[in-house]
Amino acid sequence: VDDYVEADQVKYVFAVDRAKAALAGIPSEEIVNTLRMALEGTKVGLVHIPQEKSPVHIVLRLPLAERTGLEHIGEIGLRTNTGGIVQLSELLTIEQTVQDKAIYHKNQKPVVYVIADVGGPGAEQAESPVYGVLGVGKKLEDYRPLEGYKIEQYYASQPWLEDKIAMKWDGEWQITYETFRDMGMAFAVAMLLIYLLIVGQFQSFLTPVIIMAPIPLTLIGILPGHWLTGSYFTATSMIGFIALAGIIVRNSILLVDFIQLQERAGVGLFDAVIKAGAIRTRPIVLTAAALMVGAFVIILDPIFQGLAVSLLFGVGASTLLTLIVIPVLYFHMSGRQRTPLEPSAEPVSGDGETARPAREPIGTVTA
């Protein structure tokens, strides 16, 4: 842990005694230039070295050992107008003060920055600063300054008043907060677009609700998956959760679309739901298995481990639950709120082929 609070630093102020300088006939500018040359150095020329492409500056100044203290600076001699030598210490007055400290501001408010890294047992696995922030925050709740008030902690906004000490968590925490906030907004927009697309496809406001119902079920696999693998829920984990929404919706569409095809063929609602679960299980499981194999490859990656865990455990749990939840929800909600679909002119058989109606006899032939 470190902070930006600066310790007191000694500062020496050199002032030219103009009266003594005038008596010696030495201009104040010459005294200042001599002092600057001794401490900072002055470029007096160039030297050309055969091994160098560019000329090297010649800098004239005191050796390091002699310019680190004041005892040698006062021994520098200056020539007077009469040809004598006077020491620099006789022409200067030295005042010892304290160096001005830097004042940091953020959003026009004075602040003191405190920086830290996650340490202690298990620090090498702390991929997110959230856990460190929460741990320190609990200890700050019990701390009281000399005035006796409680230090308020701000996680998303900046303190408004300046009459009391307050803590604003910033840095990686602010980045994490903004990342999850933006991805949450993107997830909400994605859900709205998915809903509108399904409404346009099925011409119903209830069917998209049934199809999108398994999306929260991915958390049943994602959260225990992070706990089992010892991984933290990071931004990549959130990306995996958003990606799973589209995959689970696809599986739900396969089931609901098949059920409606069976209803148009004249199959009862109960039998259509049973057939959908039996026939569509294989493509849904194969799709989930292919995704799980692809996610398993990157599960050991330190950056994309959260993404892999979300995809691997989320798709496994949600696929199994989708095969149960979607048929049950569709059966109960469709059976209660609407009548079964009427058979179409060209009904569709269970194997997906168009069933042609049998021709009626034209007449009777007798022997």
Side-chain angles (χ1 to χ4, degrees):
V1 180
D2 199 359
D3 55 59
Y4 279 29
V5 178
E6 300 178 2
D8 293 338
Q9 299 181 9
V10 179
K11 176 182 178 182
Y12 295 99
V13 179
F14 298 91
V16 178
D17 191 334
R18 298 182 181 275
K20 293 182 179 181
L23 291 175
I26 302 176
S28 299
E29 183 180 359
E30 183 179 349
I31 298 175
V32 173
N33 292 334
T34 302
L35 184 61
R36 181 180 293 112
M37 179 181 62
L39 297 178
E40 298 180 2
T42 302
K43 298 178 181 178
V44 296
L46 297 173
V47 60
H48 297 273
I49 302 176
Q51 294 82 5
E52 299 292 338
K53 295 183 179 180
S54 301
V56 179
H57 290 281
I58 301 174
V59 179
L60 181 62
R61 63 178 174 180
L62 289 178
L64 180 61
E66 297 183 8
R67 67 175 185 267
T68 53
L70 299 178
E71 60 275 5
H72 298 290
I73 297 178
E75 298 175 357
I76 300 176
L78 295 176
R79 188 174 297 276
T80 64
N81 55 356
T82 59
I85 299 295
V86 60
Q87 290 186 346
L88 193 60
S89 59
E90 299 179 6
L91 304 175
L92 295 175
T93 57
I94 303 176
E95 179 184 0
Q96 181 177 341
T97 60
V98 178
Q99 178 72 30
D100 294 335
K101 299 178 181 179
I103 300 177
Y104 298 95
H105 289 81
K106 185 171 184 179
N107 297 334
Q108 298 183 354
K109 294 183 180 296
V111 297
V112 174
Y113 290 102
V114 179
I115 56 177
D117 290 327
V118 179
E124 66 280 356
Q125 298 179 355
E127 300 177 2
S128 176
V130 177
Y131 305 96
V133 168
L134 296 178
V136 176
K138 292 181 180 179
K139 296 184 178 181
L140 283 177
E141 292 178 357
D142 301 330
Y143 175 77
R144 297 292 183 273
L146 298 177
E147 292 79 2
Y149 59 85
K150 180 180 178 181
I151 297 179
E152 296 293 336
Q153 301 184 51
Y154 296 83
Y155 294 91
S157 61
Q158 187 170 334
W160 180 255
L161 300 178
E162 303 176 9
D163 55 342
K164 296 181 180 180
I165 299 176
M167 169 69 77
K168 169 63 176 72
W169 293 102
D170 212 325
E172 293 187 18
W173 160 261
Q174 186 70 23
I175 296 174
T176 303
Y177 165 75
E178 293 177 355
T179 300
F180 277 92
R181 180 198 62 189
D182 295 343
M183 286 194 298
M185 296 173 60
F187 181 71
V189 173
M191 293 299 98
L192 178 61
L193 294 178
I194 292 175
Y195 179 82
L196 295 177
L197 289 175
I198 300 175
V199 168
Q201 174 65 27
F202 291 92
Q203 300 297 313
S204 171
F205 293 101
L206 177 63
T207 303
V209 177
I210 301 175
I211 292 176
M212 299 175 66
I215 293 178
L217 299 179
T218 56
L219 294 175
I220 298 178
I222 292 175
L223 297 181
H226 283 79
W227 176 73
L228 290 175
T229 58
S231 305
Y232 292 101
F233 193 87
T234 60
T236 56
S237 304
M238 187 67 179
I239 294 174
F241 174 62
I242 297 175
L244 282 177
I247 299 172
I248 298 305
V249 166
R250 174 190 175 277
N251 296 337
S252 301
I253 290 176
L254 288 176
L255 291 172
V256 173
D257 184 63
F258 189 85
I259 293 173
Q260 293 188 356
L261 286 176
Q262 290 296 303
E263 287 189 279
R264 292 191 183 97
V267 181
L269 177 60
F270 180 81
D271 294 334
V273 169
I274 297 299
K275 284 186 177 182
I279 296 177
R280 293 302 188 188
T281 297
R282 178 177 294 180
I284 291 176
V285 172
L286 289 177
T287 302
L291 180 60
M292 294 174 67
V293 171
F296 184 77
V297 178
I298 60 174
I299 195 170
L300 298 179
D301 189 274
I303 299 178
F304 297 101
Q305 185 180 26
L307 174 63
V309 172
S310 296
L311 294 178
L312 187 62
F313 290 90
V315 75
S318 60
T319 298
L320 297 178
L321 294 174
T322 298
L323 295 173
I324 301 174
V325 172
I326 289 299
V328 172
L329 280 178
Y330 190 88
F331 179 79
H332 284 280
M333 298 184 70
S334 299
R336 292 180 180 180
Q337 300 188 12
R338 68 176 180 86
T339 58
L341 296 175
E342 296 294 335
S344 60
E346 293 185 353
V348 181
S349 61
D351 55 359
E353 297 179 355
T354 302
R356 300 182 180 274
R359 296 181 179 179
E360 297 181 358
I362 300 177
T364 304
V365 179
T366 57

